[in-house]
Amino acid sequence: APPLAAVEGIEPLASWLDLLNEGSSMLHCVGSYDTFVALGEAFIYRMMQPERLTISLEYRNNRWVVGEVRGIRNANPSPEALDIVRRWVEL
């Protein structure tokens, strides 16, 4: 089960195939996170609005924290999108 609930514009990746497709469509290596996800050390989400991003949550010190937020080809997210991610994680 995803550690954080989906909200409008941010949804969890529900399967291994979703993870591979995310890496393929976003042209980055998130598909290689499969072992970390399987071990419960990471969980991956896709952000659709205000821009297309991939978000990794990592389990550290007994809590989930944002690991990475990346756009296509590992592009950096906009400040607006980062603010939305921060508010979502703090819910």
Side-chain angles (χ1 to χ4, degrees), residues 6-20:
V7 296
E8 186 175 343
I10 301 175
E11 59 189 31
L13 299 184
S15 70
W16 182 70
L17 185 56
D18 284 348
L19 186 65
L20 293 179

Side-chain angles (χ1 to χ4, degrees), residues 5-12 45-48 55 84-85 88:
V7 296
E8 186 175 343
I10 301 175
E11 59 189 31
Y45 292 78
R46 103 176 22 105
M47 181 181 215
M48 303 303 287
I55 303 164
I84 290 168
V85 170
W88 167 64

